[in-house]
Amino acid sequence: MLKTSCSALLAGVLALHGIQASAQETMTGAGATFPYPVYSQWADDYQDAKGIGLNYQAIGSGGGIKQITAKTVTFGASDAPLKKDELDEHGLMQWPMIMGGVVPVLNLPGTEKNSLKLDGETLADIYAGKITHWDDAAIADLNPDVDLPDTAITPVYRAEGSGTNFLFTHYLSQVNDEFADTIGEGKSVAWPAGVGAKANAGVAKQVAETEGAIGYVEFAYAKQNDLDHIRLRNHDGEYVEPSSDSFKAAAANADWSNAPGFYLVLTDQVGADSWPITGASFILMHKQVEDPAAAKRVLEFFDWAYANGGDAANELDYVPMPENVADQVRDSWGDIEGPQGESIWP
Amino acid sequence: MNDTTLQNFQTQQDSSTASEGAVRGPYSEAPTPDKGQPVTRNESVEENLSVRVRDLSLWYGEHQALDDISIDIFANTVTALIGPSGCGKSTFLRCLNRMNDLISSVSIKGLVEMDGRDVNARGMDEVALRRRVGMVFQKPNPFPKSIYENVAYAPRMHDMVSRKADQDELVERALRDAGLWNEVKDKLYEPGTSLSGGQQQRLCIARAIAVRPDVILMDEPTSALDPISTATIEDLMDKLKQDFTIVTVTHNMQQAARVADYTAFFHLGEMIEYNATKQMFANPHTKKAEDYITGRYG
Amino acid sequence: MHVSTKRLASSRFAFPGASDKEIRILKRNALIDRAFERSTQAFALAVLLLLGAILVSLCVSSWDTLSAHAVDFLTGDRWAANMEMFGALPAIYGTLVTSLIAVAIAVPVSFGIAIFLTEKCPEILRRPLGITVELLAGIPSIIYGMWGVEMLAPFLNHIFPDLFPAGSGLATAGLVLAIMIIPFITAISRDVMLTVPPITRESAYGLGCTTWEVVRGVIFPTVRHGMMGGVVLGLGRALGETMAVTFVIGNNLFFHPTITGQGTSIAALIANQFPEADGAQRSALLALGLVLFLITFAVLATARYMLNRIERRAA
Ligand SMILES: Nc1ncnc2c1ncn2[C@@H]1O[C@H](COP(=O)(O)OP(=O)(O)O)[C@@H](O)[C@H]1O
Ligand SMILES: [Mg+2]
């Protein structure tokens, strides 16, 4: 509790633009850390364009859900979508706001950078502690041209609950039944082997320091730090590179219109170019809002972000939502009502 | 001071005066003894030199506590150090077993020889020295151990005994020598601190003699004790001198007169007079000593 | 009439000849004294109440977990929040192992430093060294954690690559904890060793005992209570340490009976998961907090009991 409020305080202090704006013209939100860079970039640009600031507390998805449930913020943000029944229980609705991907990275001297190939099945077995050495037959079969060393594999994972964990385990559960049964998906899971480290930076550092280590980080982090990543075999059997294009490819095939409450995780999507560990980060709001003016301000901001935030997102190595998805989301906002049952959008 | 002791004191003084025969006028035509020698020797027995101190000066940082002390201490005698508080008696005593080494501000000049060996010499091991020089303090301070262990600890550490039976024997002998055996033989395994003050002090003496030192230093050993315990310890000192050389500090003139063969009078870090006890009390050789002894000073 | 009741009421103070002013002052002082007494009593009781309140609230908020699966909770070999499998065994094991390693290393080293500082250290070094130890004892634990992750873990990995393939692990955490509590135990040991009266020390030296013999035979027995207190405080600190441990323990939530491998501790697990937890996970983490509370309590009580036994045996 104390920790939560401390980090909330810190995030609040960091959100300088929130402080600059007058209280009346500030939007409040809290939640996921993964989209924080792009949300604050949008907020800066929006402040310049419209003079309205955003106070976003990057306290983690769980905290965001708690705060929106308690109605202390106008919107919450979560990396993992809530199931339809969870949404209904609290009178919430959600929509995808921004996409990114998770990238396995490794430290294996003697192999060419960004060349090692794995499929989901094998990756899951590595993380389940069943494949323990790099020269294991399963890995060798996928990499006939690589002379694999007999180094021990040290799986590295996120120690704290995180959306990245959720996306990664969701993918592994999708492609490996045994993984789904024994370890399962979630923001916080028990890994049978390996080392837990804090945040993307902690994972990257642990991987860098441990010969034979494999880890997973957000794409933006891997790209900005030029980490040695793995090429994954996707649902169509093609090996793909993690990139904005391969995330967009995964998103393009997603059928959002048939996902109740926009519950959709974009792992293991079909399509020859799809990166298999892709996911969206979500915004949560109450269907019945107490302060229609505040809700409308927030919706206008998101509307603006869908329309104008693409470049900023690409710049930061995130993937903006495709236009058709944005339109579906805008349509769904019609369900949001003020205290008198009046519609507040558009 | 009660009457009987005063009486004793008086008689002693008288008898010594009488036996000397020719009484010299006080501090007039005094003989100048050799450096460090007492003004008068006890002639009755032959006494061997045990500790020889020459031109010993000591400083606590800037403060000089001992100034050019020279003294010969004889084996199997009791030598008393008297003098007003703060005159350096304890400091001097502690030079004899290099206890001042534990105080890092101390600097020492001069010679302290024990059985012909310079105790401050480079090659001298202070642990070896201290085994030969036992020490008993003003306040009884048994170790937080049983009575038995208080006595047995150091000898066992020094490998003086190997078998349990030897150790029992050594403990018994030390306690007997200290006159404590009969009182504690049934409760050897009770803590040393459970004894009375006088018993504790004798336990400390037993502890000191258990390692069979040559010299025992006692710093006001009876000043915290009642008169009866004091008398017991005084008797003990008289007995112990057959086996050990004893140097004791005392504020009690009668005690010095009763137990000491020689007495040294210290004043402001200097040794003013060193004399056979009988002479010192009957016929002090210096004015300062006389003033102190007769209570006109200090 | 009025006057007589007044006299009666103040009769406690009204000795013959007491003036009204005297009585007034005495009454006032008595009142102040009573208030003072009451408030000290209240503070003392508040501590007990606080302890009770913490215990009760931990029990209440972890009741869901404890009532539903108390046995699984204590013996379950994994902490898998996503599958609602909350086994505390890995965390309990990690907590105990890291703390024991820490104490096993810290106690001899701390005592050694304390002995040097009190018995052997030259006067000019004594103060600077003493102050250094106190400064080290005051360094926030997170700094030790950063040092552990930046220096110690890579170093261990470099020296013993087979034992520490990733650098982190229970033994690494134990080492960091040891280094963290060494200044702590040293400072307390030194302080209590300095309380040994100089003549006790000197009588032992006077018997021709070496420094070690004096320390072992005389100084330790004299102050064992205080030194044990220092060790127990250090152990308490090790048991509850969070940040430094989280950095280097490896955060593996499966039970592995290992010394050098990865694991977790109660405090590290709570720190990692509590901010994001709700529902059953939250309740289970609170139950874990209760377990830590009880372990710490049991350690303190056992230490006290052992101490009393030693004391009684010596008496
Ligand atoms: N540890 C010490 N540090 C500094 N000065 C000391 C110390 N011990 C004694 N002195 C000083 O040395 C002088 C002699 O002291 P001491 O030998 O104890 O006298 P006595 O035993 O004759 O009463 C005194 O002035 C005393 O203050
Ligand atoms: Mg003295």
Side-chain angles (χ1 to χ4, degrees):
Chain A
M1 183 58 206
L2 193 66
K3 243 193 150 68
T4 319
S5 39
C6 280
S7 44
L9 202 70
L10 196 69
V13 170
L14 289 174
L16 273 176
H17 40 270
I19 292 168
Q20 285 158 1
S22 71
Q24 208 202 356
E25 289 174 336
T26 301
M27 305 172 284
T28 56
T33 46
F34 157 67
Y36 176 65
V38 68
Y39 289 176
S40 45
Q41 183 61 50
W42 284 345
D44 273 349
D45 297 345
Y46 193 64
Q47 167 96 39
D48 292 344
K50 302 278 154 83
I52 298 176
L54 167 67
N55 179 357
Y56 181 74
Q57 307 165 28
I59 54 175
S61 303
I65 294 169
K66 257 186 237 161
Q67 293 231 9
I68 186 64
T69 315
K71 300 187 178 170
T72 52
V73 287
T74 313
F75 70 92
S78 170
D79 287 335
L82 296 189
K83 298 248 168 62
K84 185 86 175 71
D85 52 331
E86 290 173 303
L87 289 173
D88 293 344
E89 187 188 333
H90 299 292
L92 293 172
M93 62 182 295
Q94 74 186 356
W95 63 84
M97 195 66 223
I98 186 79
M99 290 186 296
V102 172
V103 180
V105 295
L106 80 166
N107 171 1
L108 191 59
T111 57
E112 200 182 320
K113 193 166 183 189
N114 303 339
S115 71
L116 201 82
K117 293 186 265 183
L118 287 179
D119 59 11
E121 188 89 16
T122 314
L123 189 57
D125 282 346
I126 290 176
Y127 268 92
K130 283 197 275 182
I131 297 178
T132 56
H133 286 80
W134 282 106
D135 59 354
D136 190 281
I139 303 175
D141 285 350
L142 300 172
N143 298 277
D145 308 332
V146 183
D147 185 19
L148 290 162
D150 65 350
T151 317
I153 304 181
T154 304
V156 181
Y157 44 84
R158 290 281 290 271
E160 79 284 17
S162 71
T164 310
N165 267 347
F166 169 75
L167 215 54
F168 189 66
T169 52
H170 188 275
Y171 168 61
L172 296 183
S173 298
Q174 214 75 353
V175 294
N176 187 319
D177 291 341
E178 202 179 334
F179 186 94
D181 291 343
T182 56
I183 299 169
E185 66 183 54
K187 283 187 286 190
S188 172
V189 308
W191 301 97
V195 186
K198 273 228 153 146
N200 288 307
V203 170
K205 181 175 183 311
Q206 183 74 59
V207 171
E209 275 170 5
T210 313
E211 201 176 311
I214 182 168
Y216 54 89
V217 295
E218 284 155 14
F219 171 66
Y221 191 88
K223 186 169 176 214
Q224 282 150 23
N225 294 282
D226 193 24
L227 303 177
D228 183 0
H229 62 249
I230 279 169
R231 297 169 62 195
L232 273 178
R233 190 160 76 181
N234 65 15
H235 193 89
D236 287 12
E238 301 292 334
Y239 287 100
V240 280
E241 288 278 345
S243 71
S244 308
D245 292 339
S246 59
F247 301 152
K248 275 187 190 128
N253 295 306
D255 184 8
W256 289 100
S257 50
N258 283 324
F262 290 108
Y263 185 95
L264 195 60
V265 185
L266 305 175
T267 57
D268 200 32
Q269 292 290 307
V270 295
D273 300 325
S274 299
W275 177 254
I277 324 177
T278 304
S281 194
F282 293 79
I283 298 294
L284 295 162
M285 270 182 79
H286 283 278
K287 276 186 167 163
Q288 191 98 43
V289 298
E290 282 165 4
D291 183 349
K296 192 158 165 60
R297 258 202 307 276
V298 165
L299 292 176
E300 279 167 353
F301 168 66
F302 290 131
D303 178 45
W304 175 91
Y306 278 135
N308 306 297
D311 290 343
N314 283 322
E315 193 98 335
L316 292 166
D317 301 307
Y318 291 82
V319 183
M321 298 309 295
E323 196 53 38
N324 64 324
V325 180
D327 285 339
Q328 282 175 45
V329 171
R330 288 188 183 103
D331 285 347
S332 76
W333 291 347
D335 295 347
I336 300 180
E337 293 176 343
Q340 270 81 47
E342 77 277 20
S343 196
I344 61 169
W345 185 264
Chain B
M1 196 186 274
N2 65 38
D3 282 22
T4 26
T5 43
L6 192 63
Q7 207 87 51
N8 271 342
F9 186 26
Q10 218 55 49
T11 14
Q12 239 174 0
Q13 226 174 357
D14 290 347
S15 66
S16 63
T17 315
S19 70
E20 266 329 293
V23 180
R24 282 196 192 87
Y27 28 86
S28 48
E29 33 186 311
T32 320
D34 288 346
K35 211 175 191 183
Q37 288 278 323
V39 179
T40 320
R41 289 288 297 267
N42 287 326
E43 280 133 18
S44 47
V45 279
E46 184 165 333
E47 289 159 335
N48 299 316
L49 191 62
S50 171
V51 181
R52 196 168 84 99
V53 178
R54 286 295 176 274
D55 304 323
L56 178 69
S57 296
L58 180 145
W59 292 263
Y60 289 109
E62 298 287 290
H63 171 69
Q64 183 164 12
L66 293 178
D67 187 7
D68 261 338
I69 310 283
S70 294
I71 186 170
D72 287 340
I73 293 168
F74 303 105
N76 302 102
T77 64
V78 175
T79 303
L81 309 181
I82 61 170
S85 274
C87 67
K89 305 178 297 289
S90 300
T91 303
F92 173 76
L93 212 59
R94 294 157 54 89
C95 286
L96 303 186
N97 66 347
R98 280 178 60 182
M99 199 55 88
N100 287 320
D101 286 13
L102 299 179
I103 304 168
S104 57
S105 66
V106 163
S107 50
I108 296 178
K109 218 183 72 194
L111 178 74
V112 179
E113 256 181 22
M114 189 151 295
D115 292 331
R117 292 198 55 190
D118 177 5
V119 305
N120 290 311
R122 231 167 228 294
M124 173 64 81
D125 179 46
E126 78 272 17
V127 171
L129 169 70
R130 288 182 197 140
R131 279 191 54 184
R132 308 191 52 189
V133 188
M135 193 155 189
V136 176
F137 292 82
Q138 172 175 0
K139 235 180 89 209
N141 59 332
F143 298 148
K145 293 171 176 297
S146 67
I147 295 169
Y148 183 96
E149 270 301 304
N150 258 280
V151 180
Y153 182 65
R156 195 167 61 236
M157 287 300 124
H158 303 335
D159 280 333
M160 288 171 61
V161 285
S162 44
R163 293 184 306 123
K164 174 83 169 96
D166 293 344
Q167 184 172 310
D168 291 348
E169 195 185 304
L170 180 144
V171 169
E172 178 175 344
R173 178 159 165 221
L175 287 169
R176 275 191 197 285
D177 285 352
L180 191 60
W181 175 252
N182 287 330
E183 292 156 67
V184 301
K185 63 173 185 273
D186 299 324
K187 49 176 183 179
L188 286 174
Y189 297 99
E190 284 176 29
T193 44
S194 66
L195 298 172
S196 75
Q199 289 173 323
Q200 286 188 17
Q201 193 63 309
R202 277 179 283 151
L203 178 61
C204 292
I205 293 173
R207 182 173 76 185
I209 61 186
V211 293
R212 310 306 300 170
D214 298 332
V215 179
I216 301 176
L217 310 175
M218 299 187 175
D219 196 348
E220 303 181 34
T222 60
S223 66
L225 302 183
D226 62 280
I228 293 173
S229 306
T230 301
T232 318
I233 302 246
E234 284 177 11
D235 289 347
L236 192 56
M237 284 159 82
D238 206 45
K239 254 188 271 150
L240 288 175
K241 75 176 181 187
Q242 286 164 13
D243 297 321
F244 307 96
T245 303
I246 297 176
V247 185
T248 180
V249 171
T250 182
H251 276 298
N252 180 329
M253 293 309 122
Q254 294 79 52
Q255 185 171 77
R258 281 191 299 266
V259 303
D261 300 295
Y262 291 96
T263 299
F265 171 63
F266 279 60
H267 182 66
L268 291 176
E270 286 181 77
M271 196 180 75
I272 305 296
E273 180 170 347
Y274 179 37
N275 210 338
T277 303
K278 285 177 186 168
Q279 283 298 317
M280 177 74 99
F281 284 91
N283 195 2
H285 179 65
T286 54
K287 173 114 175 59
K288 276 183 183 151
E290 185 186 27
D291 286 354
Y292 182 72
I293 289 164
T294 53
R296 258 176 280 161
Y297 179 94
Chain C
M1 182 67 199
H2 180 75
V3 172
S4 76
T5 19
K6 201 178 155 196
R7 279 259 170 254
L8 210 65
S10 55
S11 61
R12 277 204 303 140
F13 306 102
F15 288 99
S19 74
D20 273 359
K21 187 177 172 217
E22 242 173 344
I23 291 172
R24 211 168 52 240
I25 292 172
L26 281 168
K27 268 168 84 173
R28 193 195 61 200
N29 289 353
L31 207 69
I32 292 175
D33 197 43
R34 188 122 29 93
F36 174 70
E37 215 179 288
R38 286 284 145 78
S39 49
T40 53
Q41 215 171 44
F43 293 149
L45 281 178
V47 174
L48 277 182
L49 276 179
L50 195 66
L51 188 77
I54 291 174
L55 199 61
V56 167
S57 62
L58 274 178
C59 286
V60 167
S61 42
S62 60
W63 183 245
D64 284 350
T65 301
L66 292 178
S67 57
H69 16 246
V71 176
D72 291 354
F73 180 74
L74 287 177
T75 58
D77 69 346
R78 75 181 69 175
W79 187 276
N82 60 324
M83 306 186 106
E84 305 232 326
M85 291 166 74
F86 298 110
L89 188 61
I92 294 173
Y93 175 79
T95 302
L96 294 179
V97 168
T98 50
S99 299
L100 287 179
I101 293 175
V103 167
I105 295 171
V107 164
V109 174
S110 309
F111 285 5
I113 301 173
I115 291 168
F116 177 75
L117 282 176
T118 52
E119 305 299 315
K120 283 279 155 191
C121 185
E123 195 69 30
I124 29 166
L125 276 181
R126 192 167 292 187
R127 260 179 69 82
L129 277 179
I131 290 172
T132 308
V133 166
E134 276 156 23
L135 278 179
L136 282 172
I139 288 182
S141 59
I142 193 154
I143 307 231
Y144 288 100
M146 294 196 302
W147 173 82
V149 96
E150 286 295 323
M151 310 292 300
L152 183 65
F155 175 77
L156 287 174
N157 171 250
H158 186 71
I159 304 288
F160 311 106
D162 293 333
L163 279 177
F164 298 94
S168 53
L170 296 179
T172 316
L175 264 171
V176 170
L177 286 176
I179 288 160
M180 213 183 87
I181 62 176
I182 280 172
F184 204 67
I185 301 181
T186 304
I188 294 178
S189 310
R190 184 204 51 182
D191 288 352
V192 297
M193 283 170 71
L194 285 177
T195 64
V196 174
I199 67 165
T200 302
R201 183 177 269 119
E202 288 179 0
S203 345
Y205 281 115
L207 293 172
C209 289
T210 60
T211 308
W212 167 238
E213 288 160 3
V214 173
V215 168
R216 202 192 79 179
V218 179
I219 295 183
F220 276 178
T222 311
V223 297
R224 60 175 167 246
H225 215 111
M227 298 188 69
M228 192 75 170
V231 172
V232 168
L233 280 178
L235 180 59
R237 208 173 160 195
L239 283 170
E241 176 50 38
T242 311
M243 285 326 292
V245 168
T246 313
F247 279 22
V248 292
I249 199 167
N251 298 303
N252 190 299
L253 310 186
F254 254 72
F255 174 68
H256 303 284
T258 170
I259 301 288
T260 57
Q262 286 82 32
T264 190
S265 76
I266 296 179
L269 180 54
I270 294 177
N272 278 333
Q273 300 204 343
F274 200 68
E276 292 263 313
D278 46 22
Q281 189 184 2
R282 193 181 173 83
S283 164
L285 287 169
L286 284 157
L288 208 52
L290 182 65
V291 170
L292 180 58
F293 189 95
L294 294 178
I295 288 180
T296 314
F297 197 77
V299 164
L300 289 174
T302 314
R304 202 140 273 288
Y305 173 75
M306 270 163 42
L307 214 62
N308 284 346
R309 273 206 9 191
I310 297 172
E311 215 80 324
R312 225 173 306 134
R313 202 156 3 114

